[in-house]
Amino acid sequence: MWIYEKKLQYPVRVSTCNPKLAKFLVEQYGGADGELAAALRYLNQRYTIPEKVMGLLTDIGTEEFAHLEMIATMIYKLTKDATPEQLKEAGLGDHYVGHDSALYYTNASGVPFTTSYITAKGDPIADLYEDIAAEEKARATYQWIIDMSDDVDLNDSLRFLREREIVHSQRFREAVEILKEERDRKKIF
């Protein structure tokens, strides 16, 4: 069961209208290493993982939905005052024609989200290594977006998200060690 607070996990502020930056952020909205893929991956994997770490996948998976909400807010704020011409110049003309200002799950290149982004092997350690890789790829993407941005306010929120990816990676690494010890002790999986 979840309890939803009507506030973002971390405040999102944007200095100016910037559709080009919004286009980059779409990668974290509907891309292979974005927040939606991570949330669905972890909440799916939790069903075939030992109980010792099941709660971790649930906790991080639900937090990823909070991150998705932050990304959606950033994109909205970066584009809400944009003209169709500004959207076109930023490479969002196709999106505008198909969706106006509505968010739509794609990557930054406009490729629609696909469930092939969601991996689950059924081997707990293999899945956790995939999760570590996903978190590290998300961390790198956030850093690259920060590198492309000159919006000090937005970068504050992006740094928060980048740091959460690092924490998630560390927690998944700890879970791998817990399961390896259990596997070696009990000779399972």
Side-chain angles (χ1 to χ4, degrees):
M1 180 168 101
W2 293 284
I3 298 171
Y4 178 72
E5 288 186 50
K6 293 185 179 188
K7 67 178 187 172
L8 296 175
Q9 184 182 12
Y10 190 86
V12 170
R13 292 179 308 281
V14 170
S15 299
T16 61
C17 175
N18 190 336
K20 189 155 193 104
L21 190 53
K23 184 180 188 320
F24 299 148
L25 281 167
V26 168
E27 187 67 32
Q28 291 300 82
Y29 190 68
D33 302 314
E35 302 296 351
L36 178 64
L40 296 175
R41 177 184 302 114
Y42 307 151
L43 292 175
N44 183 56
Q45 288 175 352
R46 70 182 291 277
Y47 292 102
T48 56
I49 202 134
E51 280 189 43
K52 280 190 170 195
V53 296
M54 182 188 294
L56 176 66
L57 286 167
T58 303
D59 292 348
I60 294 176
T62 55
E63 184 177 344
E64 299 294 358
F65 280 124
H67 296 174
L68 185 68
E69 185 177 33
M70 288 176 65
I71 293 296
T73 301
M74 290 175 193
I75 294 168
Y76 170 75
K77 288 182 174 189
L78 287 166
T79 60
K80 73 180 178 113
D81 296 325
T83 65
E85 186 59 37
Q86 288 174 307
L87 294 170
K88 183 179 175 185
E89 287 173 16
L92 291 170
D94 293 343
H95 179 90
Y96 176 76
V97 168
H99 309 286
D100 189 22
S101 61
L103 290 167
Y104 187 73
Y105 292 109
T106 67
N107 68 14
S109 299
V111 177
F113 181 84
T114 173
T115 56
S116 65
Y117 296 160
I118 305 165
T119 55
K121 188 68 175 171
D123 177 281
I125 294 174
D127 284 343
L128 287 168
Y129 276 123
E130 169 63 31
D131 300 343
I132 293 166
E135 293 295 324
E136 292 299 332
K137 289 186 274 186
R139 176 203 47 81
T141 302
Y142 279 122
Q143 184 58 56
W144 296 329
I145 294 169
I146 291 166
D147 294 346
M148 300 287 287
S149 170
D150 60 359
D151 188 322
V152 177
D153 290 330
L154 183 69
N155 286 349
D156 177 57
S157 299
L158 292 171
R159 281 189 200 91
F160 169 81
L161 291 170
R162 182 193 61 201
E163 295 306 310
R164 292 306 300 160
E165 304 300 344
I166 293 168
V167 169
H168 295 168
S169 178
Q170 291 169 340
R171 296 294 314 277
F172 286 139
R173 289 172 199 275
E174 293 165 5
V176 165
E177 293 308 312
I178 290 167
L179 293 183
K180 280 183 176 180
E181 287 176 17
E182 186 173 317
R183 176 192 65 192
D184 294 345
R185 192 175 68 252
K186 293 183 180 180
K187 305 291 186 218
I188 57 173
F189 58 90

